[in-house]
């Protein structure tokens, strides 16, 4: 059931009782969790936080931590699953689901007792009507009649005719129900970010702070960075946050030079869409950002030459571009954005390729932080590759990064994010040089080869999503054919330390960017079912699954047949 008043129906209901919080492994969920933590600490509400990486992890966490718990909060997990059916909880347990995954399972939507959805009603406009998917069993039953005379025989015949009609009606209703549910669930997408929902709760309770605004900004930016929401939806959320930023950062001109050393200042501006450029050199950032790397095709000699020409035309000496951005000549540093916009058209770049309306934060006199940079750093730590650390350790380390004073941990995380980006570019170049991207007709597919030095990165879902998108954009940039942008991509990568298994992901074509709807969840499910392939759809994203490498051939044959 959709919660209409977050404070009264959710927050007031969990007062004075211990709550269990299950959090998915993504940056948006992490930010939403920190906002909720702040609110619970303000009101001295006891809580237990358990990060969960998938469905099995979630079931285990619930069993181990649910004793005596009546309120379970789920952040970015379980909206698409019939949670009561899955966990079989006690009748007094209530689940509060704050999840951006869509579509929401109809059982969660219409369970008015044990499931409460912390979402915006606009995101749920496509949910089928109750009568289309649920039917009262009493409608199908009739009272038998007894009678020994001819009148009784007539009643029995009438009763039999009515029973036949009821069965026919029931069959038609079931056929329609199956069609309605299939149409509703065939595409997966994302709604409003969980962190923005939690921030709006804090705002309505008059407990919002500048730090909470920054967390909500990072959560919204995470959705855009990982290609979950289209630009229009991102802009809508950014505009909603801008008013809060203005409210919390409003100062007169006289106050600009007397800011406290401990003050967090957030600024709205058009940010360059260059990954980690403030923490890298301008040249390296151009080569490792998806849009500019693909426009210039930096993996080729001709592309490198074009990039050098672009920088030269901008009046940017190569020696300046190849040193740390913070060490560049201050005049060049401040004019980079304007000069790129001035010369972009000649090199096939658009305004949307170069700039993105976003926010940056400055804490005291430390380096300015762009929201997208924090997302990349945080995601890199969440999917850490240190074998000596558990997934829970990575979750706690990522939480530390979001503490604004912990600059040392953030710098270390930025270094890890750079390694990830370098691995992505190297892998994409390998795909293209070796002509490994194959057209199967209805889609493209490619596999990361066994023994790859960077395999440890690619068996992580968020990094694999970015690799898939980078690969698709790079492939389309090298093809003059009009059909390339209309083809989706399936990418497989062997799972590190798990011989014989691979992680498979499917992403939609580039020409559907205005919607960002993914059909691979249902397609994977059907292909696996028809071929009896050994798969495991444990992820909260249905378009990501694990599969036995041996079953790859028959699975892809079925997928090709299904999508033709």
């Amino acid at each position: 059931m959709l919660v209409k008043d977050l404070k009264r129906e959710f927050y007031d209901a969990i007062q004075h009782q211990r709550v269990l919080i299950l959090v998915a492994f993504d940056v948006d969920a992490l930010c939403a969790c920190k906002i909720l933590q702040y609110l619970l600490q303000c009101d001295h509400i006891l809580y237990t936080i358990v990060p969960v990486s998938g469905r099995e992890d979630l079931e285990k966490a619930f069993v181990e931590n649910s004793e005596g718990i009546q309120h379970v909060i789920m952040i970015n997990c379980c909206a698409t699953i019939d949670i009561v059916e899955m966990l079989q909880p006690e009748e007094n347990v209530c689940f509060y689901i704050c999840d951006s995954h869509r579509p929401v399972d109809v059982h969660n939507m219409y369970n008015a007792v044990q499931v409460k959805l912390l979402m915006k009603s606009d995101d749920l406009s496509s949910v089928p009507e109750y009568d289309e998917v649920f039917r009262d069993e009493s409608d199908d039953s009739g009272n038998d009649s007894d009678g020994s005379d001819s009148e009784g025989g007539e009643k029995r015949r009438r009763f039999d005719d009515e029973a036949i009609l009821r069965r026919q009606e029931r069959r038609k209703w079931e056929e329609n129900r199956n069609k309605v549910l299939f149409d509703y669930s065939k595409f997966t997408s994302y709604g409003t970010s969980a962190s923005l929902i939690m921030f709006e709760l804090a705002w309505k309770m008059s407990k919002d702070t500048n730090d909470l605004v920054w967390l909500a900004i990072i959560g919204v930016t995470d959705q855009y960075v990982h290609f979950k929401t289209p630009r229009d939806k991102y802009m809508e959320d950014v505009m909603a946050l801008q008013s809060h930023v203005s409210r919390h950062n409003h100062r007169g001109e006289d106050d600009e030079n007397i800011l406290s050393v401990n003050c967090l200042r957030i600024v709205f501006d058009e940010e360059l869409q260059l990954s980690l450029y403030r923490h890298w050199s301008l040249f390296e950032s151009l080569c490792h950002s998806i849009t500019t790397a693909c426009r210039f095709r930096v993996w080729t000699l001709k592309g490198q030459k074009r990039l050098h020409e672009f920088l030269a035309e901008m009046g940017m000496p190569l020696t300046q571009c190849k040193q740390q951005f913070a060490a560049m000549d201050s005049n060049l540093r401040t004019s980079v954005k304007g000069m790129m916009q001035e010369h972009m058209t000649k090199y096939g770049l658009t305004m949307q390729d170069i700039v993105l309306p976003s926010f940056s934060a400055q804490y005291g006199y430390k380096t300015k932080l762009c929201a997208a940079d924090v997302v990349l750093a945080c995601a890199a730590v969440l999917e850490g590759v240190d074998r000596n650390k558990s997934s829970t350790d990575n979750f706690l380390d990522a939480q530390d990064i979001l503490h604004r004073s912990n600059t040392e941990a953030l710098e270390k995380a930025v270094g890890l994010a750079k390694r990830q980006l370098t691995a992505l570019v190297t892998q994409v170049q390998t795909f293209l040089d070796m002509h490994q991207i194959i057209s199967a007709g209805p889609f493209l597919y490619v596999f990361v080869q066994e023994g790859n030095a960077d395999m440890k990165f690619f068996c992580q879902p968020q990094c694999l999503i970015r690799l898939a998108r980078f690969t698709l954009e790079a492939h389309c940039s090298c093809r003059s054919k009009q059909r390339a942008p209309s083809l989706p991509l399936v990418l497989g990568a062997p799972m590190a330390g798990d011989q014989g298994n691979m992680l498979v992901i499917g992403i939609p074509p580039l020409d559907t960017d205005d919607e960002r709807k993914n059909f691979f969840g249902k397609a994977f499910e059907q292909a696996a079912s028809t071929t009896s392939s050994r798969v495991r759809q444990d992820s909260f994203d249905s378009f990501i699954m694990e599969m036995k490498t041996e079953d790859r051939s028959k699975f892809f044959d079925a997928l090709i047949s299904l999508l033709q």
Side-chain angles (χ1 to χ4, degrees):
M1 183 185 77
L2 180 65
V3 169
K4 294 181 180 177
D5 187 331
L6 286 175
K7 182 183 182 300
R8 184 173 59 82
E9 297 177 58
F10 162 56
Y11 197 78
D12 291 350
I14 65 172
Q15 294 271 16
H16 314 301
Q17 296 185 61
R18 189 180 192 92
V19 296
L20 172 63
I21 307 172
L22 303 177
V23 190
F25 273 86
D26 65 71
V27 179
D28 177 37
L30 188 69
C31 293
C33 178
K34 282 191 70 69
I35 294 172
L36 181 60
Q37 263 184 286
Y38 173 82
L39 298 178
L40 297 179
Q41 288 167 359
C42 284
D43 292 305
H44 309 288
I45 300 172
L46 296 174
Y47 60 87
T48 300
I49 294 176
V50 184
V52 290
S53 58
R55 301 185 187 195
E56 286 184 14
D57 216 9
L58 183 135
E59 287 187 67
K60 182 182 175 184
F62 179 74
V63 170
E64 292 178 352
N65 298 279
S66 61
E67 187 177 349
I69 295 287
Q70 292 185 14
H71 302 287
V72 182
I73 302 169
M74 298 175 151
I75 302 179
N76 272 359
C77 56
C78 296
T80 60
I81 308 164
D82 182 353
I83 194 63
V84 175
E85 175 68 24
M86 178 184 179
L87 298 180
Q88 298 291 315
E90 299 289 333
E91 290 183 0
N92 64 339
V93 176
C94 186
F95 297 99
Y96 299 90
I97 302 177
C98 183
D99 187 0
S100 60
H101 291 90
R102 301 290 181 272
V104 173
D105 188 274
V106 291
H107 295 88
N108 293 338
M109 182 68 194
Y110 291 113
N111 187 327
V113 179
Q114 285 190 276
V115 181
K116 311 291 184 184
L117 301 177
L118 314 181
M119 301 170 184
K120 289 193 173 182
S121 56
D122 296 348
D123 294 342
L124 304 173
S125 58
S126 62
V127 178
E129 294 296 324
Y130 180 88
D131 292 337
E132 290 183 301
V133 290
F134 296 105
R135 184 183 175 99
D136 190 347
E137 291 299 324
S138 63
D139 294 343
D140 301 318
S141 61
N143 294 320
D144 203 352
S145 59
D146 55 348
S148 56
D149 53 11
S150 58
E151 185 181 344
E154 181 64 29
K155 285 183 179 178
R156 277 197 301 273
R157 281 193 298 275
R158 197 180 310 124
F159 174 79
D160 291 340
D161 291 342
E162 289 174 358
I164 291 169
L165 288 172
R166 279 198 300 272
R167 283 197 295 270
Q168 289 176 343
E169 185 187 340
R170 170 79 181 188
R171 191 161 54 247
K172 286 180 182 177
W173 179 85
E174 285 178 349
E175 288 173 359
N176 183 65
R177 178 182 188 272
N178 292 336
K179 182 182 183 302
V180 166
L181 286 177
F182 180 81
D183 290 342
Y184 173 61
S185 61
K186 65 182 177 183
F187 291 111
T188 57
S189 58
Y190 295 86
T192 303
S193 84
S195 53
L196 185 55
I197 297 290
M198 286 298 171
F199 172 75
E200 289 185 354
L201 170 63
W203 171 51
K204 286 171 183 174
M205 294 168 59
S206 300
K207 291 181 179 177
D208 58 317
T209 66
N210 214 20
D211 288 283
L212 299 192
V213 177
W214 180 236
L215 288 171
I217 288 168
I218 294 170
V220 167
T221 307
D222 171 59
Q223 286 196 316
Y224 186 77
V225 167
H226 287 102
F227 313 103
K228 294 179 179 180
T229 53
R231 192 179 177 103
D232 288 349
K233 170 63 176 168
Y234 167 78
M235 289 300 301
E236 182 186 314
D237 292 341
V238 163
M239 291 301 107
L241 284 165
Q242 189 184 2
S243 60
H244 297 294
V245 169
S246 300
R247 181 164 50 85
H248 282 283
N249 294 270
H250 178 70
R251 296 183 181 89
E253 290 183 10
D254 296 338
D255 299 326
E256 290 295 320
N257 297 320
I258 55 171
L259 291 177
S260 166
V261 173
N262 296 320
C263 178
L264 174 71
R265 184 164 181 263
I266 304 172
V267 177
F268 175 77
D269 197 5
E270 288 191 327
E271 277 288 327
L272 283 173
Q273 281 204 85
L274 298 178
S275 302
L276 304 172
Y277 74 92
R278 286 194 179 92
H279 312 271
W280 219 342
S281 70
L282 182 63
F283 186 81
E284 290 293 335
S285 182
L286 283 164
C287 290
H288 291 85
S289 300
I290 293 181
T291 303
T292 51
C294 292
R295 291 290 186 278
F296 286 104
R297 301 174 195 169
V298 295
W299 49 84
T300 64
L301 288 174
K302 187 178 178 182
Q304 287 280 332
K305 184 181 176 184
R306 274 175 57 82
L307 179 57
H308 287 167
E309 284 177 7
F310 178 59
L311 294 171
E313 227 172 278
M314 282 167 53
M316 286 278 183
L318 206 55
T319 51
Q320 288 283 329
C321 295
K322 289 193 173 183
Q323 63 182 329
Q324 283 288 319
F325 184 80
M328 284 177 67
D329 180 275
S330 59
N331 291 328
L332 291 174
R333 198 168 63 233
T334 54
S335 58
V336 166
K337 183 167 57 177
M339 288 193 292
M340 286 185 74
Q341 289 173 316
E342 186 180 338
H343 296 92
M344 64 185 181
T345 309
K346 180 181 175 181
Y347 292 86
L349 293 163
T350 65
M351 187 68 78
Q352 288 192 3
D353 296 331
I354 294 295
V355 294
L356 178 73
S358 184
F359 300 90
S360 59
Q362 185 127 20
Y363 173 54
Y365 301 110
K366 296 182 173 67
T367 305
K368 185 184 284 188
L369 293 172
C370 171
D373 293 349
V374 178
V375 168
L376 291 175
C378 214
V381 172
L382 271 177
E383 299 186 334
V385 293
D386 187 344
R387 292 183 179 179
N388 297 319
K389 289 189 175 183
S390 67
S391 56
T392 303
D393 292 334
N394 292 334
F395 183 86
L396 295 173
D397 288 345
Q399 273 200 323
D400 287 342
I401 290 171
L402 295 175
H403 285 296
R404 61 183 181 180
S405 58
N406 203 341
T407 51
E408 187 178 333
L410 180 60
E411 286 171 10
K412 190 176 177 182
V414 166
L416 183 58
K418 288 180 188 177
R419 285 173 56 200
Q420 268 195 0
L421 288 171
T422 304
L424 291 180
V425 171
T426 303
Q427 185 57 57
V428 170
Q429 184 169 356
T430 301
F431 285 154
L432 296 170
D433 290 347
M434 304 297 289
H435 303 288
Q436 293 176 340
I437 304 169
I438 310 296
S439 174
F443 61 88
L444 304 165
Y445 68 88
V446 65
F447 301 106
V448 177
Q449 299 300 307
E450 287 273 5
N452 189 301
D454 297 316
M455 197 166 64
K456 58 193 176 188
F457 292 120
F458 305 141
C459 60
Q460 304 293 337
Q462 302 292 310
C463 190
L464 196 64
I465 287 172
R466 281 186 280 136
L467 175 62
R469 176 69 182 209
F470 206 147
T471 302
L472 186 56
E473 287 204 29
H475 175 77
C476 290
S477 72
C478 297
R479 293 287 179 274
S480 57
K481 294 178 182 177
Q482 293 295 319
R483 188 164 180 254
S486 66
L487 291 175
L489 173 75
V490 179
L491 188 150
M495 298 189 68
D498 193 355
Q499 294 297 323
N501 284 340
M502 63 188 301
L503 201 62
V504 179
I505 178 176
I507 63 168
L510 297 183
D511 62 6
T512 61
D513 257 7
D514 292 341
E515 294 182 330
R516 295 274 165 90
K517 289 184 175 181
N518 196 324
F519 58 80
F520 275 110
K522 275 288 182 189
F524 283 171
E525 185 183 315
Q526 291 183 11
S529 176
T530 55
T531 58
S532 300
S533 298
R534 291 162 292 176
V535 301
R536 179 169 170 260
Q537 282 188 305
D538 187 58
S539 172
F540 299 120
D541 292 303
S542 61
F543 56 86
I544 301 175
M545 69 170 193
E546 295 173 28
M547 182 175 67
K548 284 287 182 185
T549 308
E550 297 169 4
D551 296 336
R552 184 173 80 180
S553 180
K554 64 178 182 180
F555 174 83
F556 273 81
D557 286 343
L559 194 61
I560 292 167
S561 176
L562 186 68
L563 296 178
Q564 273 180 341

